[in-house]
Amino acid sequence: MRNIVVTIPAKDRHKEYLEKIGEGCRFLYTAPSAVTGDDLRDAEIIIGNVAPGLLKAAKNLKWIQLNSAGSDNYCVPGVLRPGTILTNSTGAYGLAISEYMVGMSFVLQNKFYQYCRNQQDHLWKDQGPVTSVYGSTTLAVGLGDIGGEYAKRMKALGSHTIGVRRTPGEKPDYLDELYTTESLDQLLPRADFVALSLPNSPSTCRIMDERRLRLMKPGAFLINVGRGNAIDTEALCNVLAEGHLGGCGVDVTDPEPLPEDHPLWDAPRMVITPHISGQYHLAETFERIVRIAGGNLEKFLTGDLGGMKNLVDFETGYRKR
């Protein structure tokens, strides 16, 4: 009998769905904060994230299905035993986070953040000219599920869309242009919106350093929903203070959580949310995670390992397919 530990907050109907697929398996449902080494000792399958340090106790683990799209913490050598299958939940978050990004685009360009502050101060004040998504240029840096869904929506609103990905590939219909990361410096001066949805890796850390922030078009907007360390935070504070950018919206920061006294809080034209765009606030996000987990569970139990979705490449931290 296979032992499966489930750490996602499954309701009865989700449990019924998973247990129907895993008929004959023993399921243990717990929370990530409550799971112990004893819980993992006999586990062959884990559905959901657990603290990487606890995985040393999972001596029988064959496969872990993450509820997150990011998997970098589990790719560190020694966290998982050689041969363990790692899959993530890429594809679950594109809907919620891309809509967050579109919303943030409107917040920044229409200066809604300033009008909210004016309302708190009971101040009736016109904040001046704004720009439009229509006729703009959007640069999506990172073309996974999230970046691709954002580009689709921006194109539908009338923006010229440019995509940047790590490796060459066929251009999807929702992009007007497609390049690899080597072209980033030439693309930044063209974009009105620069949107980052990148995983954490050595190649993405500080990809937006001060030099690249200054390459951006004056008045352009920067949005980051991937990893906080994709942007040099100190450099961002400097560039915003000088008025070079039209604004910046982030759902991730470096460091995170952002300390109460950090200067980024008070940077001009800055909008910060506390890493909430990809959580379960949108119910459909969780439903998609359960469907991904269920589909992969069926493939795993029938031995169709090659048919599993979102297999992670331990070398790069990106999914293989």
Side-chain angles (χ1 to χ4, degrees):
M1 179 179 292
R2 294 184 182 274
N3 292 293
I4 303 175
V5 174
V6 180
T7 67
I8 58 175
K11 297 180 180 178
D12 287 344
R13 58 188 173 85
H14 302 126
K15 294 176 182 179
E16 182 180 350
Y17 166 72
L18 293 173
E19 290 172 14
K20 184 175 181 181
I21 295 171
E23 186 176 0
C25 297
R26 181 185 293 115
F27 285 80
L28 170 65
Y29 298 93
T30 184
S33 59
V35 69
T36 67
D38 286 339
D39 294 331
L40 302 179
R41 188 156 288 113
D42 296 322
E44 292 184 55
I45 299 168
I46 299 173
I47 297 176
N49 291 26
V50 299
L54 285 176
L55 292 173
K56 292 180 180 179
K59 299 185 184 300
N60 296 310
L61 185 64
K62 305 293 190 300
W63 163 48
I64 177 169
Q65 167 68 58
L66 302 179
N67 58 262
S68 62
S71 53
D72 48 289
N73 291 334
Y74 300 87
C75 294
V76 177
V79 171
L80 293 173
R81 286 177 171 76
T84 305
I85 298 170
L86 176 64
T87 55
N88 64 23
S89 286
T90 295
Y93 294 96
L95 174 62
I97 300 182
S98 65
E99 290 188 356
Y100 166 97
M101 295 166 77
V102 171
M104 183 65 78
S105 302
F106 285 132
V107 165
L108 292 171
Q109 69 173 177
N110 289 285
K111 305 177 183 176
F112 290 151
Y113 58 90
Q114 188 59 60
Y115 287 109
C116 286
R117 291 168 187 159
N118 291 351
Q119 180 178 346
Q120 291 175 339
D121 295 336
H122 298 190
L123 180 63
W124 188 276
K125 181 181 178 182
D126 188 325
Q127 292 299 141
V130 298
T131 60
S132 175
V133 171
Y134 183 82
S136 69
T137 296
T138 296
L139 178 61
V141 185
L143 283 178
D145 177 48
I146 295 166
E149 289 297 316
Y150 174 66
K152 285 180 189 176
R153 286 157 175 75
M154 293 297 276
K155 184 173 179 60
L157 290 167
S159 186
H160 181 88
T161 52
I162 305 173
V164 170
R165 52 177 296 167
R166 183 173 54 95
T167 56
E170 185 177 351
K171 184 182 74 64
D173 291 340
Y174 59 79
L175 290 179
D176 295 297
E177 303 176 47
L178 177 62
Y179 301 89
T180 56
T181 311
E182 288 74 17
S183 299
L184 184 58
D185 287 1
Q186 289 72 48
L187 298 171
L188 287 170
R190 297 177 54 193
D192 299 289
F193 296 92
V194 176
L196 310 176
S197 54
L198 297 165
N200 182 30
S201 71
S203 62
T204 61
C205 185
R206 306 291 190 279
I207 192 171
M208 292 302 292
D209 55 14
E210 186 158 354
R211 181 183 67 82
R212 282 193 168 133
L213 289 170
R214 296 188 185 282
L215 282 176
M216 289 178 62
K217 179 191 293 188
F221 304 102
L222 177 63
I223 298 171
N224 186 19
V225 296
R227 288 292 182 267
N229 65 9
I231 302 175
D232 183 325
T233 306
E234 182 178 353
L236 177 61
C237 289
N238 293 337
V239 172
L240 286 169
E242 293 171 11
H244 179 67
L245 297 182
C248 179
V250 300
D251 189 45
V252 288
T253 61
D254 183 25
E256 188 175 306
L258 195 64
E260 185 178 348
D261 60 350
H262 198 284
L264 190 64
W265 286 113
D266 298 313
R269 301 172 306 285
M270 185 76 218
V271 181
I272 301 170
T273 55
H275 208 148
I276 47 78
S277 66
Q279 295 187 18
Y280 303 151
H281 298 313
L282 181 67
E284 176 61 19
T285 299
F286 186 72
E287 298 300 324
R288 292 182 178 197
I289 290 169
V290 174
R291 290 197 294 269
I292 291 169
N296 277 344
L297 179 60
E298 182 176 11
K299 297 292 185 183
F300 182 86
L301 294 176
T302 58
D304 183 13
L305 305 185
M308 297 175 73
K309 290 184 178 179
N310 298 347
L311 290 162
V312 174
D313 184 336
F314 285 87
E315 296 274 332
T316 65
Y318 288 81
R319 63 171 176 164
K320 299 175 184 177
R321 58 180 176 277

